[in-house]
Amino acid sequence: FGSDSQGRDVFTTLILAIPPTLRVGLIAGVVSVVIGLALGCELVRRGMKVAILDKQGVGAGASPVAGGMLAPVSEASVEHPQLLDFAIHNLQLYGDWIARLQRETGRRVDFRTDGTVFVALTRDDEQDLEHLHSLHEKRSLRSQFITAERLLELEPYLSPRSLCGLLVETDLHVDPRYLVQALAQQFEQSGGVL
């Protein structure tokens, strides 16, 4: 996870936002989605007592149907360059975080690093991809315009009428169902209460 303007990691910043009298007490979360479980794990790791309360059950909300995309380049917003920089920085840390989670729990989370492919089926789609690619180039973000032949090599079940594609190799994917299960296990193993 990233750091704030003073070089502190995000979790330290969040902990410091909690009044000191509560930092030694019980922190109760209200949902067990990925961010709640991840935050709970880090708080427990830092010596806090944490309980996560979720009336629907662990990960029963939107997590099972979430896309699991970790795609700041594909979803680049030119209106918010600082947010994009923050997201890219955190994306670079994600692999190590996932590796630690898998090592500590013995669970696989289907973490994939094969990127995202955008497909142009029409000339308008092709122009949209060219525009997105030019935005990437202006920000020095890595993406690659690919031919229909290369596109079908990568994704053989696409329509043979596909015109071209845009490959963003830096995008990542994780299966949120497996991630929630691993985080819940890590949280409880570390002393958290679900």
Side-chain angles (χ1 to χ4, degrees), residues 93-146:
L93 303 173
Y94 205 85
D96 290 340
W97 180 71
I98 289 290
R100 185 181 82 201
L101 176 65
Q102 291 181 135
R103 186 177 55 253
E104 291 177 2
T105 63
R107 289 182 177 259
R108 306 286 306 150
V109 297
D110 192 25
F111 179 58
R112 296 182 19 215
T113 61
D114 46 3
T116 298
V117 176
F118 291 89
V119 179
L121 296 173
T122 67
R123 296 288 173 213
D124 287 343
D125 293 342
E126 186 175 16
Q127 287 178 341
D128 289 344
L129 292 185
E130 288 171 354
H131 176 71
L132 181 58
H133 184 60
S134 71
L135 290 176
H136 290 165
E137 286 182 328
K138 286 178 186 171
R139 287 289 326 265
S140 299
L141 302 173
R142 291 180 28 214
S143 65
Q144 165 183 348
F145 220 76
I146 55 177

Side-chain angles (χ1 to χ4, degrees), residues 72-191:
V73 173
S74 290
E75 300 173 359
S77 171
V78 293
E79 295 87 28
H80 304 287
Q82 290 176 323
L83 178 60
L84 176 61
D85 293 341
F86 179 74
I88 289 171
H89 172 74
N90 284 293
L91 185 70
Q92 294 165 347
L93 303 173
Y94 205 85
D96 290 340
W97 180 71
I98 289 290
R100 185 181 82 201
L101 176 65
Q102 291 181 135
R103 186 177 55 253
E104 291 177 2
T105 63
R107 289 182 177 259
R108 306 286 306 150
V109 297
D110 192 25
F111 179 58
R112 296 182 19 215
T113 61
D114 46 3
T116 298
V117 176
F118 291 89
V119 179
L121 296 173
T122 67
R123 296 288 173 213
D124 287 343
D125 293 342
E126 186 175 16
Q127 287 178 341
D128 289 344
L129 292 185
E130 288 171 354
H131 176 71
L132 181 58
H133 184 60
S134 71
L135 290 176
H136 290 165
E137 286 182 328
K138 286 178 186 171
R139 287 289 326 265
S140 299
L141 302 173
R142 291 180 28 214
S143 65
Q144 165 183 348
F145 220 76
I146 55 177
T147 65
E149 293 78 24
R150 175 72 176 123
L151 182 61
L152 291 173
E153 286 173 16
L154 293 171
E155 296 291 340
Y157 295 108
L158 286 174
S159 168
R161 290 181 271 151
S162 302
L163 300 176
C164 62
L166 185 67
L167 174 61
V168 181
E169 294 178 6
T170 55
D171 285 352
L172 308 174
H173 176 270
V174 65
D175 188 313
R177 296 165 300 178
Y178 297 140
L179 182 58
V180 165
Q181 292 169 0
L183 284 168
Q185 179 181 331
Q186 183 184 51
F187 180 69
E188 288 185 310
Q189 281 176 195
S190 301

